[in-house]
Amino acid sequence: MGQRGGPGGREARAARGATGTERAFVRILPLLLLMVGVGYDAATPAEFTAAPLFTAAPLIAAPFYSLLNTVLTGAAATGAVLFLHYGNRVSSHVEAVTEVVTVATVAALAIVINRVVRRGNDRLAIARSISEATQRAVLPAPDPRIGGLDIAARYEAAQADAFIGGDLYAVQDTPHGVRLIVGDVRGKGMGAVAAVAVVIGAFREAAEQEATLEAVAQRLERALAREGTRRDGLDAFEGFTTAVLAEIRHGEGSVRLINRGHPPPLLLRGDGRLCVMSASEPALPLGMGDLGVWPDRADESEFPPGATLLFYTDGLSEARDAAGEFYDPATRLGGRIFPGRGGPHALLAALAGEVRRHTGGAMTDDMALLAVRRPTAGEVGVTGGD
């Protein structure tokens, strides 16, 4: 199944481990402050006070503790101040009363902060669940085997806990062969998600009905043009989608490609040789038909058994390291082999891990990956084909 959202693999677990250690320290910090405050106040003359430590404890507890534990922390801080002043026999002094009132007031404010944070977390959890449900509806994970081909898809979000953006993919078995699209909608947010839904919906309908891949591309062009008239502001004039469309006909060892301003796919042969499948004629992205009209022409290339086609968005090819160097998938994958039916999944997992390492975990754009492998004759014989 496809893998989505958030970091994957060993690097992600390490990052989450570091974050978990920091969070654990912050969670015990209120208790440490109380202990240090009591020790400091008991070990110093009466004119010295640890009130700042007792004041900080409930404030730090508020965003991390439950309501009950926040109340208990505030009560402990207030009680500690009262006890220490009573032990020092200065409970009637104005300074002492002021300290007790200050700590008690801060403890009450911490309770209010705790409730505000909890409500915000609840809203965020709801938003995440809606986002995840939206992705499952708009970008369902493709089956691992479609039309006799091994398929793997992966969506890597640039931000943790984000699930969907403007990147898209779809694979469909049709009477004309297996047809697929990988694309990237300009923009972010719900406007981009709406455009993704339009492109995916139009593609699935056109892939079934249109006799040629060129006609599918023109159908998408018209769908985006209609969408553009309904979008307000800047998107109404500058909305576009880069995309690669592919058609792999049943029983043929070739693939037909139409590239509309998108990064070129890569063909990884079974022996490790790699080919960049650049378009013979550059073309504008989908949705920019008002700038010029020309007929789409598909390029046909060999797609032999044991080879894998890799489609990706610019979140992969434009990922930068600390020195500003781009990640080059063609250079990184040359000479490498990902054999067997699990090859597409292994390829995407390797790419996701390498990009995370290359960027230090600081990806700035979402990344959609799709790998399609043609099984060898022996594998087809073993599995029985589709």
Side-chain angles (χ1 to χ4, degrees):
M1 298 294 287
Q3 302 181 37
R4 308 182 176 92
R10 199 172 295 172
E11 296 76 16
R13 289 192 293 271
R16 285 195 294 267
T19 302
T21 301
E22 295 168 0
R23 186 177 291 271
F25 173 74
V26 172
R27 288 183 67 86
I28 66 171
L29 186 57
L31 178 60
L32 293 176
L33 290 174
L34 293 177
M35 294 171 62
V36 172
V38 171
Y40 176 84
D41 211 309
T44 56
E47 58 267 22
F48 293 91
T49 177
L53 300 179
F54 296 122
T55 302
L59 286 177
I60 295 175
F64 297 101
Y65 284 13
S66 66
L67 175 61
L68 176 60
N69 288 335
T70 301
V71 171
L72 292 176
T73 303
T78 305
V81 174
L82 280 170
F83 173 78
L84 291 169
H85 284 312
Y86 180 79
N88 291 330
R89 301 182 182 278
V90 294
S91 59
S92 61
H93 292 176
V94 173
E95 292 85 355
V97 173
T98 301
E99 285 184 8
V100 172
V101 172
T102 299
V103 174
T105 301
V106 172
L109 289 175
I111 295 173
V112 175
I113 293 172
N114 177 271
R115 300 316 300 152
V116 172
V117 170
R118 293 299 168 187
R119 290 194 185 99
N121 288 342
D122 291 342
R123 293 192 185 98
L124 181 59
I126 293 172
R128 287 173 180 168
S129 64
I130 292 173
S131 176
E132 186 174 8
T134 300
Q135 183 180 26
R136 288 174 177 171
V138 176
L139 289 181
D143 293 335
R145 197 164 177 84
I146 299 177
L149 303 172
D150 298 324
I151 308 291
R154 191 178 186 114
Y155 194 104
E156 290 283 325
Q159 297 180 348
D161 300 320
F163 289 96
I164 190 170
D167 292 4
L168 61 95
Y169 54 76
V171 185
Q172 191 159 327
D173 193 7
T174 75
H176 316 286
V178 175
R179 287 175 169 175
L180 62 89
I181 182 173
V182 174
D184 188 357
V185 173
R186 188 198 73 86
K188 301 291 184 182
M190 292 309 297
V193 175
V196 167
V198 170
V199 173
I200 294 295
F203 169 77
R204 293 200 179 281
E205 183 179 6
E208 285 286 339
Q209 297 178 355
E210 299 294 345
T212 66
L213 193 62
E214 290 84 352
V216 175
Q218 290 301 313
R219 186 90 160 257
L220 296 180
E221 183 74 48
R222 293 192 296 270
L224 280 174
R226 290 193 301 270
E227 174 68 8
T229 61
R230 293 193 292 266
R231 298 174 73 178
D232 298 325
L234 183 67
D235 282 343
F237 300 96
E238 296 188 7
F240 61 85
T241 299
T242 67
V244 173
L245 293 92
E247 177 183 272
I248 305 167
R249 294 173 179 171
H250 299 134
E252 297 185 13
S254 62
V255 58
R256 303 181 75 243
L257 296 169
I258 290 179
N259 192 323
R260 285 297 205 95
H262 197 78
L266 303 178
L267 177 67
L268 287 73
R269 295 178 180 271
D271 58 5
R273 288 180 296 160
L274 184 144
C275 176
V276 179
M277 307 188 77
S278 302
S280 58
E281 295 184 17
L284 291 176
L286 296 167
M288 301 184 72
D290 55 337
L291 299 181
V293 178
W294 63 91
D296 284 295
R297 293 186 178 88
D299 294 320
E300 187 164 353
S301 302
E302 183 186 10
F303 184 23
T308 300
L309 281 167
L310 173 65
F311 302 85
Y312 57 92
T313 57
D314 57 11
L316 176 68
S317 56
E318 295 184 3
R320 301 190 188 194
D321 62 11
E325 181 181 352
F326 290 112
Y327 180 89
D328 184 358
T331 300
R332 300 297 185 96
L333 293 175
R336 299 168 65 179
I337 300 174
F338 300 89
R341 294 192 59 179
H345 291 279
L347 168 61
L348 300 193
L351 282 173
E354 289 179 10
V355 170
R356 289 286 174 185
R357 287 192 294 271
H358 184 77
T359 62
M363 293 177 60
T364 59
D365 196 6
D366 293 352
M367 177 176 69
L369 305 171
L370 181 67
V372 181
R373 179 177 179 273
R374 182 184 293 279
T376 62
E379 292 168 338
V380 172
V382 171
T383 61
D386 279 284

